[in-house]
Amino acid sequence: MKVKFLLIIGFCLSLSIRGFAQSTAQLLQKSMIALGNWEKVDHFEYTTKRMNLDKWQGYDFSNPLPEKDSFYLSFDLKGNRFLHHTQNHYPGGYLFDTYRLGRDTTYYVYDGIGSRTGKDLLNLGSSSFNNRKNALLNNFPYFILKQLLTEIKDEPVLTEENDLIISRKTPTGTEEYRFDKNTFLLKRISKIQGQDTLVQRFDNYSSSNGLMIAQKSSLERNGNLIYSDSLASFKYNKGIDNNVFDFPLGYKPVTEQTPKLSAKMLVKDVYLIENVDGDRNVLFVNMGTYIVLTEAPLSSATARSILEVIHTTLPDIPVKYVHLSHFHNDHIAGIAEMVKEGATIVCAESMKQPVIEMISNTDNTLYKTGKVNFSVFNNQKVLQDEQKKLEFYEIPNSHAKGMSFLYLPQEKLIYQGDLLSLPADSYLTPAIAVTREFSEFLHQKKIAFTEIIAHHGLALIPKNTFDEVINMH
Ligand SMILES: [Zn+2]
């Protein structure tokens, strides 16, 4: 009799839970329970093999190839510390070996091999600590759902075939969370932010000592795959070596500075703007009645800040030409702003297509108003007046198809992007493939120079420093 009564109570309870399962909070709690007892996790270590596919950073824009990268994360939740280490490869022999360290509620970044930012230990302060911490935890469904649970109101749970769906409006757009109807595991998050649709997927869940973890995860933007991760290892509460969170030895603490941009005259009529958005440098040349500028980095805002410096330095002289060294987005994303000023784009013919795509992505009215002018070339182009001579050389290379650089024969100066990059602190590492290709090309063409100006990092590289990295092995 007693047993029967309890069974009836149990039956009624299970019915009511079924009913409540239709509320968002209940679904999120169920999904979190399905993931296992993450509450008991003090610390964990997680590594993936990451496949990156970014057409704006590949060798050939029309045929992007995947890069095999690595993603390591050690997280001490209890001690509020993390170390995130990534190894990213880019064409031409580039390896970005980046450590992101969070400790003492401060966020630090350093370069493990020193080829990019040398021996700087960059202190990014406490304001970015939480942002980075949350971004890292957002690789894991449990932490995503935990956060979501604190934000949801009473959005309804929708059902579609085998999925349960929570969708909600955010200040910047909409978000949709999809769960498997049978397992309650989070499958997919779609976020519409302005013009962009981001889709994060979690697949092939398996149990690791009682916690469910996705073996495969990926991110897509507007239907294009950005990366896909394959789980390499995951362990928790097994201890993390304390020195993982130590500061690296031999590094110099630095804080990020954003000095006001200014132009420095290198030789008559040739000006350098250093530290554009931190580690970039651009050159502009006064040809008397017009200006020639190199590169249009990062964004329209960055481009405007460069143009402002030029107009303050040389008022009333128009920027007539902008040379783009190669199609990578960090070198051309500000080009629409230069075009609006009436500048003609100088670049190798084979990179015209990505530049057109970048301009139409930024401001598709520019073509309709007929403002976009190109002066494309193959192999070599010369711009000359009575005073000055500028030579542009297209260079066969392994970093980006259609790469070219600027040579000023009278001044014996070269300006280039991504053929040679050294850290601003002058820490030297052996030349990578694309830098060796550059050196060979200069020899072959008998191009005499005393200094090379670089887009990234150290702005002025004397010839003997260049020789030194070429001779290092
Ligand atoms: Zn590049």
Side-chain angles (χ1 to χ4, degrees):
M1 182 67 189
K2 215 173 184 179
V3 173
K4 211 173 182 182
F5 177 72
L6 282 175
L7 276 176
I8 290 165
I9 294 271
F11 181 67
C12 291
L13 267 177
S14 76
L15 264 187
S16 66
I17 286 166
R18 271 166 176 270
F20 271 115
Q22 297 310 306
S23 95
T24 12
Q26 284 279 349
L27 173 56
L28 291 175
Q29 278 155 359
K30 276 205 158 188
S31 184
M32 285 163 76
I33 289 166
L35 288 165
N37 191 1
W38 282 76
E39 276 303 319
K40 71 180 175 195
V41 178
D42 279 346
H43 56 267
F44 66 86
E45 287 181 294
Y46 169 84
T47 64
T48 67
K49 293 284 161 222
R50 175 165 286 196
M51 197 273 284
N52 264 315
L53 193 64
D54 185 350
K55 66 175 177 176
W56 289 105
Q57 289 292 330
Y59 170 75
D60 183 351
F61 186 75
S62 56
N63 182 27
L65 297 173
E67 292 285 347
K68 285 189 186 121
D69 294 335
S70 314
F71 181 107
Y72 308 86
L73 179 63
S74 296
F75 221 117
D76 176 7
L77 291 162
K78 211 174 179 184
N80 205 23
R81 303 182 292 180
F82 60 80
L83 183 77
H84 177 215
H85 175 203
T86 52
Q87 290 181 312
N88 294 304
H89 299 86
Y90 297 97
Y94 280 101
L95 167 62
F96 289 8
D97 187 52
T98 312
Y99 288 81
R100 298 170 181 89
L101 171 67
R103 53 173 279 185
D104 316 312
T105 61
T106 305
Y107 178 46
Y108 301 89
V109 177
Y110 61 94
D111 173 351
I113 53 175
S115 61
R116 198 76 188 158
T117 53
K119 293 285 172 177
D120 281 353
L121 173 66
L122 183 62
N123 179 331
L124 290 165
S126 53
S127 55
S128 47
F129 176 85
N130 277 325
N131 288 342
R132 179 53 60 168
K133 180 183 164 182
N134 293 334
L136 289 169
L137 292 178
N138 276 340
N139 285 290
F140 304 93
Y142 174 78
F143 298 103
I144 295 169
L145 301 180
K146 192 178 172 184
Q147 180 59 32
L148 185 60
L149 194 56
T150 66
E151 293 170 4
I152 48 146
K153 299 193 178 71
D154 40 12
E155 295 88 351
V157 175
L158 309 169
T159 313
E160 195 184 290
E161 291 175 11
N162 275 324
D163 295 347
L164 295 171
I165 304 162
I166 296 173
S167 85
R168 63 167 188 162
K169 292 219 178 310
T170 62
T172 49
T174 59
E175 288 178 7
E176 183 197 88
Y177 296 77
R178 271 179 191 260
F179 302 83
D180 185 291
K181 203 165 126 186
N182 300 311
T183 62
F184 297 105
L185 292 168
L186 178 65
K187 289 165 66 173
R188 194 170 98 193
I189 304 170
S190 312
K191 293 184 180 179
I192 299 171
Q193 297 171 336
Q195 298 185 341
D196 286 335
T197 303
L198 293 165
V199 177
Q200 193 178 8
R201 293 177 197 274
F202 301 97
D203 294 306
N204 297 9
Y205 280 90
S206 71
S207 171
S208 170
N209 282 316
L211 299 188
M212 296 302 276
I213 186 123
Q215 302 278 326
K216 300 267 175 212
S217 49
S218 62
L219 184 70
E220 288 158 34
R221 184 185 291 119
N222 303 327
N224 299 314
L225 187 69
I226 303 295
Y227 68 71
S228 78
D229 275 338
S230 302
L231 185 70
S233 70
F234 176 72
K235 56 181 186 176
Y236 68 95
N237 296 356
K238 293 275 194 309
I240 300 177
D241 202 344
N242 225 347
N243 61 25
V244 161
F245 306 107
D246 283 355
F247 291 125
L249 288 173
Y251 281 67
K252 185 171 93 280
V254 290
T255 51
E256 205 177 31
Q257 285 162 342
T258 42
K260 199 174 180 302
L261 291 187
S262 63
K264 175 164 107 184
M265 192 162 77
L266 295 179
V267 286
K268 190 178 178 295
D269 296 326
V270 180
Y271 300 83
L272 175 69
I273 307 176
E274 285 179 276
N275 305 118
V276 176
D277 201 82
D279 85 323
R280 292 163 193 276
N281 313 294
V282 300
L283 197 75
F284 62 95
V285 182
N286 182 5
M287 302 291 281
T289 53
Y290 63 89
I291 290 162
V292 180
L293 169 65
T294 64
E295 310 284 58
L298 290 174
S299 66
S300 296
T302 306
R304 269 196 302 277
S305 67
I306 291 169
L307 290 168
E308 268 166 39
V309 173
I310 295 174
H311 296 323
T312 315
T313 313
L314 301 170
D316 307 320
I317 308 180
V319 177
K320 190 172 169 187
Y321 296 103
V322 178
H323 170 245
L324 300 176
S325 68
H326 64 298
F327 71 87
H328 289 165
N329 54 350
D330 61 314
H331 293 253
I332 69 167
I335 190 60
E337 213 56 33
M338 316 287 188
V339 167
K340 281 183 205 164
E341 285 239 346
T344 292
I345 301 160
V346 177
C347 67
E349 188 173 17
S350 67
M351 63 172 273
K352 190 175 174 183
Q353 199 48 44
V355 176
I356 288 173
E357 194 168 316
M358 179 59 76
I359 294 170
S360 37
N361 287 351
T362 320
D363 185 346
N364 61 15
T365 61
L366 283 173
Y367 277 95
K368 290 175 195 141
T369 51
K371 271 197 164 179
V372 185
N373 295 308
F374 277 92
S375 172
V376 294
F377 64 96
N378 288 296
N379 302 319
Q380 203 188 337
K381 175 187 173 69
V382 176
L383 269 179
Q384 195 167 15
D385 63 7
E386 303 89 68
Q387 313 272 325
K388 279 254 168 309
K389 189 177 183 189
L390 307 184
E391 298 176 359
F392 300 93
Y393 286 91
E394 188 178 6
I395 171 172
N397 77 100
S398 54
H399 181 65
K401 192 175 171 182
M403 170 84 83
S404 62
F405 65 88
L406 166 63
Y407 176 51
L408 289 86
Q410 292 142 327
E411 293 81 1
K412 296 202 165 27
L413 286 175
I414 292 170
Y415 177 92
Q416 54 76 39
D418 292 6
L419 292 167
L420 167 66
S421 302
L422 299 178
D425 72 353
S426 299
Y427 179 77
L428 302 184
T429 51
I432 59 171
V434 73
T435 302
R436 295 183 188 279
E437 292 154 11
F438 181 38
S439 170
E440 275 158 33
F441 185 85
L442 296 175
H443 277 115
Q444 190 196 328
K445 296 281 174 189
K446 299 187 170 61
I447 294 173
F449 63 95
T450 55
E451 253 180 333
I452 297 175
I453 299 146
H455 179 75
H456 291 285
L458 190 66
L460 293 162
I461 303 170
K463 185 178 182 300
N464 61 353
T465 306
F466 182 42
D467 292 341
E468 204 178 323
V469 297
I470 290 294
N471 292 322
M472 276 173 98
H473 288 281

